[in-house]
Amino acid sequence: MPAVMADPLTLPRLPLPSATDTDWRRVAKVVTANRQLEGEGFEVRRPFPGMDLSLADPFLLLDHMGAVEYAPGEARGTPWHPHRGFETVTYIIDGAFQHQDTTGGGGLISDGATQWMTAASGIQHIEQPPPELVAKGGLFHGVQLWVNLPRSQKWVPPRYQDIKAQDVTLLASDDGSSLVRVIAGSVAGYDGPGVTYTPINYLHATVAPGARLALPWPRDFNALVYVLSGRGTAGVEQAGLDEGQLAVFAGSHHGGETDGLVVQAAERQPVASANGWEILILGGLPIREPIARYGPFVMNTRDEIVQAFEDFQAGRMGTVPAEQVPHRSAADESL
């Protein structure tokens, strides 16, 4: 069960988009995530890349880690490694992960918290399960999202945002049946705490069994729904969507006054999803620039990738180990 829960009946409610004046986005395709090993040997489910990345722009990668109940000694992480040209957003739904980077940012991310690392001009970081999780085992469930940066912002200084679980904006569906957590972006005028260079929406919803969730959506954003657990349908055409699957919505047809997304949880859920269908709702303003990527670097040209390797090898992406400094919160970034 996600660590951040609340009674939806006590929360502000999202408005129900007009049935007649809303241009409801339709599902263009459903993608099943590939399973693969990352870091020191932990399994992830990855719905993209693997499909046409222009459909996900400005997102580059989505890794779903767990949910898994680790036995003692099983938990794994990543060694020190570099990044340049984008942002990594690690959201821990259950359990904990430790992060440290060469700007001195980092700390323990646990139970509903998010660490937002802007690699930009270049950084190194390490992500590891805490010693307690390694020694004793336990539940772990998280997601890492890579957000591209436009050419004009790939060279900004690195930064780190520590978004605590209690910082996330909590909303209810129009009928009070479902819980929506806004991590970044804005929905119906409600803003999340994450400070972004690229305009995006990042939501985590728990949709009650049999419930329908409809929400307004920015007309110029793309739209993706990924299933963390449970089953349901996406779009007015009710395309089936199970755990580990991603629905890619088509662009707006500009037929109504506003755009909207609609999903619905199945009446009967797996035992692990008894509290509801767990989904991520993602979208952003496409950057529409050339992408050159190799491993941990995402730039616009091959020459910039070569330069990134040269800079890393020359020690221009920070020194390991880094000296720990106080976290910068999303609130600090806005000051």
Side-chain angles (χ1 to χ4, degrees), residues 34-184:
N34 294 315
R35 292 178 182 265
Q36 60 190 78
L37 296 179
E38 275 297 307
E40 296 171 334
F42 61 90
E43 185 179 80
V44 300
R45 282 179 282 188
R46 182 175 292 171
F48 63 86
M51 65 175 193
D52 181 357
L53 259 186
S54 66
L55 299 174
D57 185 10
F59 306 119
L60 298 163
L61 173 146
L62 180 66
D63 275 355
H64 179 196
M65 304 170 285
V68 58
E69 189 76 35
Y70 283 124
E74 282 188 344
R76 298 285 188 271
T78 68
W80 282 98
H81 60 283
H83 287 301
R84 173 177 281 178
F86 61 99
E87 303 181 282
T88 68
V89 184
T90 306
Y91 172 43
I92 301 301
I93 300 166
D94 288 299
F97 229 32
Q98 292 182 148
H99 166 89
Q100 187 180 7
D101 65 47
T102 48
T103 70
L108 187 68
I109 323 158
S110 64
D111 294 337
T114 301
Q115 72 93 12
W116 199 299
M117 187 188 77
T118 303
S121 59
I123 201 170
Q124 293 184 64
H125 76 148
I126 185 172
E127 295 168 302
Q128 295 284 330
E132 297 80 9
L133 181 60
V134 176
K136 299 179 181 179
L139 177 62
F140 180 77
H141 193 193
V143 181
Q144 186 170 97
L145 177 70
W146 289 13
V147 185
N148 200 11
L149 292 169
R151 188 193 308 269
S152 61
Q153 293 169 331
K154 285 187 180 294
W155 296 97
V156 300
R159 74 177 180 190
Y160 176 83
Q161 297 176 64
D162 179 26
I163 302 173
K164 303 292 188 185
Q166 62 267 26
D167 296 333
V168 172
T169 301
L170 301 179
L171 305 170
S173 56
D174 64 281
D175 62 359
S177 65
S178 302
L179 172 63
V180 177
R181 307 160 188 83
V182 185
I183 298 168

Side-chain angles (χ1 to χ4, degrees), residues 1-56:
M1 177 189 296
V4 179
M5 297 295 290
D7 180 357
L9 296 177
T10 67
L11 299 172
R13 297 196 185 187
L14 290 164
L16 181 63
S18 166
T20 56
D21 296 329
T22 299
D23 187 3
W24 296 103
R25 298 280 189 97
R26 301 187 69 84
V27 174
K29 67 187 305 182
V30 172
V31 176
T32 299
N34 294 315
R35 292 178 182 265
Q36 60 190 78
L37 296 179
E38 275 297 307
E40 296 171 334
F42 61 90
E43 185 179 80
V44 300
R45 282 179 282 188
R46 182 175 292 171
F48 63 86
M51 65 175 193
D52 181 357
L53 259 186
S54 66
L55 299 174

